Each structure stands twice: as C-alpha cells, then as structure tokens.
Amino acid sequence: MNEPRTWIPGADRMAAEAATVRLEITQRESAFDGQRFGDAGAYEWLRGRVFGKLDPSHPSNAAVALLDLAPRNVEGYVEYWSDVVILKPVQMSSANRILLYDVLNRGEQKALTAFNDVPRSTNLLGPDAAGNGFLMRRGYTMAWSGWQGDLRTSTELLCTGFPVAQSEGKPFVGYSREEFVFDSLKNPLVGTLTYPAHTLDQNQATLTVRRNNGETARRLDAMHWCFLSQWQIEIRVPDGFDGGAIFEFIYEAKDPVVMGLGLAAIRDFVSSLRSGGAANPLRDAAGMPMIDHVLGFGTSQSGRVLRDFLWQDFNGDVTGQRVFDGLFIDAAGSRKSFVNAVFGQPGRFSRQHEDHSYPGDQFPFSYAARPDPKSKSKSDSDRVDGILRACTASQTCPKIMHTDSSSEYWQARAALVTSDEDGVAIDIPESVRVYLYASVQHGGPAARATPICRYPINPLNDTPLHRALLVALEEWVTRNVAPPDSRVPRVADGTLVSIEQLVQAFPAIPDCTVPRSGNELASWDDSTLPPKETGARRYLPLVPSTDADGNDQAGIRLPAVSVPVGTYTGWNIRRDGYAPGQLASVRGSFFPFAATKAERLANADPRPSIEERYPSRDAYVQAVSDATAALCGARLLLEEDALRMIDEARQSTHPHQGDC
C-alpha cells in the first residue's frame, strides 16, 4: 500500500505530494522490565510526536469545523502535532499483525485498564503496568496519540498542538458557554474557562444559577462573580444553594482551537501505521508494513468520539482506504461528542444534572439509518440518518462491538441505540453487535467513588467481558467468524421498561430510594445561548427491568449477577448537600444481601439472605461454576477468566458458615 497523501487537484501536483504525517520517535525503552509474554516475547515502548498537515480543499477534510480559518503554511496546508506512544513486541515478526489503537480518554490510556486489569494510577513504565498480560500474550501492537485539542501540555498526558482559528488575521471572537457543578461546599469558588475571554467587561457576560435542570435559572449580579483573568472567574455562591448548584456562564470568548482536527489526526496517524516506508516503526526490513488489521477501542468519552468519527465519515483516509477494520465502542450510549464544532468542548457529556443541554446527544442515535422522529417541518420530516450512513456510502464501515453498562440506559439513553423513541425494536446492522453489561456501572471497577454518592459504589468488574468480546471481534475481523448475537433489553419481552415501571417492581430494599427519573432528552436549538428546547416531544429514558433481587434481567449477566451476593445497579443518587435525589453522575450502587434469614427479617428485607440462597460454600461454588460454563459456551467469557472466578468463589469468605 502506498503512503497516505494529501489530495491536490492535478496529476502533476499529486505526484509531488508528501505524506500526510511525519512520525518522529524520540525515545525507545524496554517495557515491563523486560518481561516476556509467550510467543510474543518482550515488548518495548516507543515515544515521540507525529507532525501532520491537512489540505483544507481535500474532500475528506471538508467536515473539520473552522479548518478554513486555520493558519496555513507556505504550501497552503494546516499543520499540527500530536504526542504518540507505541507499545510493540521487540521482534515484530512475533506480533499477531493486529494494531489495537486506544482512543485516549482525556489524555489517558484505557485499553490496558479495560483488558489487562491495570489500575488507573499505575506507572506505565513499571513492571506492574502489564497487569494480567492479556493483550501482550495475544501479540497485539498498541498505539495511542493525542487528539483532544483543549488539554493543557502535560508530561503525563498525550497532548496536541492544534492551531487557533483566525478571522482575517485577527482573533476569532464569539460567545461560548461554560457550566460548573463544583460539588463543593467552599465559597467562593473558581471556575476555569475552556477558551480565553475576549473582554473582562462583566457587562458582556452573564452568570446564572439553579438547583436542578428543571428549575428556572436565576441571574447573578456583578456582586456575585468577577474575572480573575481571561481564563478564570470567581463565583460567590448565594444563600440557598448547595454544593450541587448548577452555574452557567455565557461570555464573549476568543481563539477557538480547531478541535475537529482531532478526528483527522486519529485517521491520518492510524492510516500511516498501516503503510510501509522508512518512517513507519511497524515495518519489516524491506519497508513493508507488518500490520494486517487495525482495531480501535474507545470507552466513555473516547467511545462517543468513535461514534462521531464514523458518523462524520473519518473512517476513510485521504486515499479512500478504510482506517479501522473493527471498533470496540464501550459506554457511549446513544451519544456522540462535542468535538468538531466552533468553540467545541470535548470533555462535556450530557447527564441528568451535569452538562444536560450540551451538544453531542442529538439524532441520529442508532447505527442503522432511520427517519428523524423529532423533525418539525415538513421539509425535514423525511430526514434519514444513522451512525453508519456515511461509511456505508463510502464503503469504509468497520465491524463494530458496542457495549454499554446499565448506567448508560439511565444517563446516556442507550435504549435508543437499538429501539426507537417509543421503545419499538429497530434493526441492528449485520456488521454491528450490541450488548448490555447487566447491572454494571459506567467505568466498571475503575470508576472512583465520590463524596456526592448516597450509596456504596457498585464493585462489579466488567473486564472479563471486554476480553471475551475483543477475542470475538478479532476473529470476526481476521477470519470472518460471526460473533455472539446481540444481547440487549427489549420492550417486547418486558426487559426494557420505563423508570416508573421499574420503580413499581423494584424490591423494597431497606434504606434504598430508587430514582424517579433519568436523563431525559429534548431537541435543542443550539443557535442561541443558552440553547432552547424546540418544543418537540421529549425522549423518556427506558431502562433494563430487574429481577426480584433488583438486578438487571437482560444482557450479559456476570456470574456475580446471576449468582449474586447483593443488588447491583447502574444508578446512584446525590446525597444531602449536593442536589439530593438527582442521579450521581454515572455511578452505580451496591446493596448487599443479609447474611442470615434472621438478619433479613429483622431489617424487613424482601431479598433472600445468603444462607437461604447458598446452604454451603460448595453450593455457592457450584452455582458460580455453572454460570461461568454457560457464558463460556456462549463465547462471552474466556476459560482463563472462568477458572479464576471459580477459584475466587472457592477462596471467598462465605458469609454463611453452614458446612463450609
């Protein structure tokens, strides 16, 4: 395959064109203290920077917002740089010839956490950074690169150098909106702006406050806030508002970063690693690429970015070749991102209480193309769109694994990925599989507890499911072996219900209050700040129904869910002092079972106790063994994880002594 090139009209100029990116490796060092991983052998880290350039006139770059206002070099191209890291076998001949590109989440890697159980805070240079070694044992080559244009330069994050848009050589000025939920009882508070203020004149900005999104905002006068600099404001919290108050700041900003370059930067860097040539570190001695297939992984923010990447047609490079052969999109729900926009803010994502009305969550929701149910005008009534519409037309669609936790149904309207606005099932394209991780919280065990949560955090570990589905995606892409069928809740079989229905059926767990609402979706008019609802009918979240214990019925049920020791939910609620009763971001909850029947009856807990469920440790171990066998048979769990789960059950401290 030829190296990627920038399009220029005219064959003579095309022949003289250089590559889109130039990769400079500045550091090479042994990984994991030289540890060896089976046939793949030892690994090494490569660190450096990629220097890219885009032709604003190329059709593949037409979707990048503000690109036409970015400064250009003498050749007429827009230049940028991104930090990069590559983790590869020392001997590429021992690799599996598959590149796993991990889309960074706020500048941090996630794949080693999601698949190798590496703790989030681990130093990636140390021996413990290998975790369980899963990805290395399978011979993967991995790569990361900066794409988020608003991250401050850091030695710990992978950052970018993206240009700032200009207006005829002068600063580009426009209005931007910030929302602050500090979750702090301090007063005053300091809010940092995404973009610098064009003026420090308070008359050119407005600050409002409200307790919840359902309330009318109260405008605060100049006595309650001031500019500390062009990057920060100080807010004096008025009486009557707690730590969960929502502050909304609209101001005249300047110097918007060309954020959409991040999507093009991912495209061009990954495409370059698929190509040969002396600059590619993933090549053989003859300069030929040693990568046959590319998989992409993104979770949460980066999962939303991958949905945007597809929808905005970036999975075809500048030569029209497919970039990713397969994508593993996790914890995105039905949302996209607020990246490729004027004054874009990649870190924002809609929740019931936080960032509720920010862009990035509007139609389309499903992978299959379908009519927009919220179109108001007759001319728009036939608008048809889907996440795969563009790549279907360009024949660059990848195979897709889309996984969501229970939290995404409450906060990210995940039901809209596979159901219409009325809950009626819609077709899932043959190239897509969708799975619910039953009763799991957003972020799994890596999610951190916060002081705003009323209930204990959900401890379920979803990484065994990640590993099994990655193997299935690998086999699907490389050998066309069909993966397990989608597993999602459906209205038709009673496993997808309204929150009102769930509340009525949920067990009366002592000291547990079930949320009465989720993150409802409205159609927004973003031409005004703050945005206004268009008046179209709202989307009411549909959520997984639960069994008698309060655990999700549908989806992939981990052994800890099918053989439970408590109730695991995808929701938690805010405690007193922090907007009480609202959903606590994307955290889940855990409510353990009583150890004995006597304890259960004393607490009026309707859920059978541990001793009533599992009369002995052997009985508990057998139940776990049966559950793992069922998942392994369905290719939803790997044997190594099944054996570990059974051993953990055998070694666990069983709450009921019985004959243990």
Side-chain angles (χ1 to χ4, degrees):
M1 182 182 295
N2 294 328
E3 290 196 14
R5 59 193 179 191
T6 304
W7 173 86
I8 308 173
D12 54 337
R13 295 183 64 194
M14 177 77 82
E17 182 49 41
T20 304
V21 300
R22 175 172 55 87
L23 178 60
E24 291 188 0
I25 301 300
T26 58
Q27 186 177 2
R28 184 187 297 259
E29 57 190 316
S30 175
F32 319 122
D33 285 354
Q35 182 179 350
R36 299 184 63 83
F37 301 91
D39 293 339
Y43 270 70
E44 63 180 348
W45 291 105
L46 307 183
R47 303 175 189 276
R49 183 165 285 182
V50 62
F51 298 89
K53 59 181 182 179
L54 268 68
D55 183 348
S57 67
H58 192 293
S60 70
N61 299 325
V64 179
L66 295 177
L67 187 63
D68 58 329
L69 298 181
R72 305 186 187 189
N73 64 16
V74 294
E75 298 174 300
Y77 300 105
V78 175
E79 297 182 332
Y80 67 90
W81 60 260
S82 297
D83 292 330
V84 300
V85 172
I86 296 173
L87 178 62
K88 59 177 281 294
V90 173
Q91 300 297 328
M92 280 298 294
S93 58
S94 64
N96 66 2
R97 302 185 69 90
I98 302 174
L99 174 67
L100 178 62
Y101 179 83
D102 179 15
V103 182
L104 296 166
N105 187 309
R106 292 169 175 79
E108 296 181 350
Q109 70 79 26
K110 292 295 180 181
L112 292 175
T113 297
F115 299 107
N116 283 29
D117 290 319
V118 176
R120 179 177 177 179
S121 59
T122 298
N123 174 9
L124 295 183
L125 292 178
D128 294 339
N132 58 37
F134 173 76
L135 292 172
M136 286 76 79
R137 285 185 279 114
R138 294 193 68 83
Y140 276 101
T141 300
M142 286 156 271
W144 299 263
S145 64
W147 65 266
Q148 186 171 336
D150 61 345
L151 292 179
R152 305 291 185 260
T153 302
S154 166
T155 58
E156 297 181 356
L157 304 178
L158 299 189
C159 300
T160 62
F162 289 168
V164 169
Q166 298 178 348
S167 178
E168 298 180 350
K170 298 179 181 179
F172 184 102
V173 177
Y175 280 92
S176 186
R177 178 169 64 109
E178 299 283 354
E179 184 178 290
F180 303 107
V181 179
F182 293 102
D183 288 332
S184 172
L185 299 179
K186 294 180 180 179
N187 195 7
L189 296 160
V190 175
T192 299
L193 308 178
T194 306
Y195 297 96
H198 176 60
T199 174
L200 302 188
D201 182 356
Q202 286 182 277
N203 293 321
Q204 300 302 313
T206 60
L207 178 67
T208 64
V209 64
R210 60 191 185 276
R211 293 177 182 83
N212 300 309
N213 280 300
E215 290 188 357
T216 300
R218 167 186 162 186
R219 182 165 179 169
L220 298 180
D221 59 32
M223 296 294 293
H224 284 97
W225 72 276
C226 65
F227 281 105
L228 295 179
S229 70
Q230 64 177 348
W231 289 102
Q232 289 186 323
I233 62 171
E234 182 180 80
I235 300 173
R236 299 170 184 85
V237 183
D239 293 340
F241 291 89
D242 67 10
I246 303 170
F247 294 92
E248 187 174 60
F249 186 61
I250 298 173
Y251 68 109
E252 199 172 26
K254 65 178 180 180
D255 298 341
V257 175
V258 185
M259 291 289 185
L261 270 173
L263 301 180
I266 292 172
R267 175 196 68 193
D268 294 343
F269 174 57
V270 173
S271 178
S272 74
L273 293 180
R274 300 193 70 147
S275 304
N280 186 354
L282 309 181
R283 71 195 190 288
D284 61 18
M288 298 300 295
M290 301 191 71
I291 296 297
D292 296 330
H293 304 282
V294 178
L295 307 182
F297 174 71
T299 181
S300 190
Q301 180 204 38
S302 46
R304 298 190 299 273
V305 167
L306 282 177
R307 280 172 56 88
D308 240 357
F309 185 89
L310 288 174
W311 180 57
Q312 298 192 48
D313 202 21
F314 282 94
N315 202 45
D317 66 16
V318 293
T319 67
Q321 300 300 306
R322 182 185 294 112
V323 177
F324 291 106
D325 302 306
L327 289 179
F328 195 130
I329 298 173
D330 178 56
S334 66
R335 296 176 297 205
K336 298 183 287 296
S337 65
F338 185 26
V339 174
N340 191 20
V342 179
F343 290 109
Q345 298 182 42
R348 302 285 184 179
F349 64 107
S350 171
R351 285 150 287 169
Q352 180 193 46
H353 191 70
E354 307 93 338
D355 293 350
H356 179 69
S357 59
Y358 272 88
D361 63 354
Q362 299 292 295
F363 177 85
F365 313 110
S366 62
Y367 289 95
R370 59 183 307 272
D372 182 358
K374 298 301 178 184
S375 297
K376 294 186 63 180
S377 66
K378 186 175 181 180
S379 61
D380 288 341
S381 61
D382 294 329
R383 180 189 175 205
V384 174
D385 204 354
I387 300 298
L388 300 184
R389 177 191 55 80
C391 70
T392 298
S394 61
Q395 299 184 345
T396 57
C397 289
K399 294 180 169 65
I400 297 169
M401 294 282 195
H402 179 113
T403 59
D404 279 317
S405 74
S406 188
S407 300
E408 275 66 69
Y409 282 77
W410 288 84
Q411 286 279 39
R413 308 112 182 179
L416 292 173
V417 176
T418 56
S419 302
D420 69 14
E421 62 279 6
D422 296 316
V424 178
I426 58 178
D427 290 337
I428 300 174
E430 181 56 34
S431 62
V432 179
R433 295 292 188 273
V434 185
Y435 307 96
L436 161 65
Y437 290 172
S439 286
V440 172
Q441 72 171 0
H442 180 96
R448 297 171 177 172
T450 67
I452 69 168
C453 293
R454 180 178 296 182
Y455 303 122
I457 213 76
N458 184 332
L460 287 181
N461 183 1
D462 56 2
T463 61
L465 304 182
H466 283 338
R467 287 189 282 274
L469 290 180
L470 181 65
V471 171
L473 177 61
E474 176 188 323
E475 293 177 343
W476 195 15
V477 167
T478 61
R479 300 194 289 118
N480 203 30
V481 176
D485 291 339
S486 297
R487 291 199 180 193
V488 294
R490 299 288 194 186
V491 167
D493 62 11
T495 57
L496 186 66
V497 297
S498 68
I499 292 178
E500 180 181 8
Q501 290 173 303
L502 181 132
V503 170
Q504 293 174 349
F506 200 80
I509 300 173
D511 300 320
C512 168
T513 300
V514 184
R516 263 51 181 177
S517 61
N519 185 18
E520 297 182 6
L521 175 64
S523 295
W524 297 101
D525 176 4
D526 293 315
S527 65
T528 64
L529 290 181
K532 296 180 180 179
E533 290 192 32
T534 63
R537 182 166 61 88
R538 300 174 67 89
Y539 295 91
L540 298 179
L542 296 176
V543 298
S545 64
T546 56
D547 59 21
D549 293 323
N551 289 314
D552 292 349
Q553 290 183 298
I556 307 175
R557 287 163 59 99
L558 286 159
V561 177
S562 56
V563 188
V565 294
T567 298
Y568 306 88
T569 77
W571 51 261
N572 207 313
I573 59 176
R574 289 172 164 265
R575 67 181 179 88
D576 291 348
Y578 299 90
Q582 296 288 291
L583 290 175
S585 191
V586 287
R587 298 298 186 263
S589 306
F590 176 57
F591 305 96
F593 297 147
T596 65
K597 180 177 180 179
E599 179 185 338
R600 174 178 73 82
L601 294 175
N603 293 327
D605 191 335
R607 304 168 299 164
S609 65
I610 296 291
E611 75 172 359
E612 292 172 282
R613 294 167 185 270
Y614 316 115
S616 68
R617 178 180 295 166
D618 288 344
Y620 174 66
V621 172
Q622 185 60 54
V624 170
S625 179
D626 292 343
T628 61
L631 289 175
C632 287
R635 297 170 57 211
L636 297 170
L637 189 68
L638 302 180
E639 183 178 358
E640 65 180 81
D641 284 315
L643 293 174
R644 177 182 51 78
M645 290 177 178
I646 294 170
D647 186 62
E648 288 174 352
R650 189 176 292 114
Q651 300 299 323
S652 66
T653 302
H654 199 284
H656 172 59
Q657 296 304 310
D659 61 355
C660 295

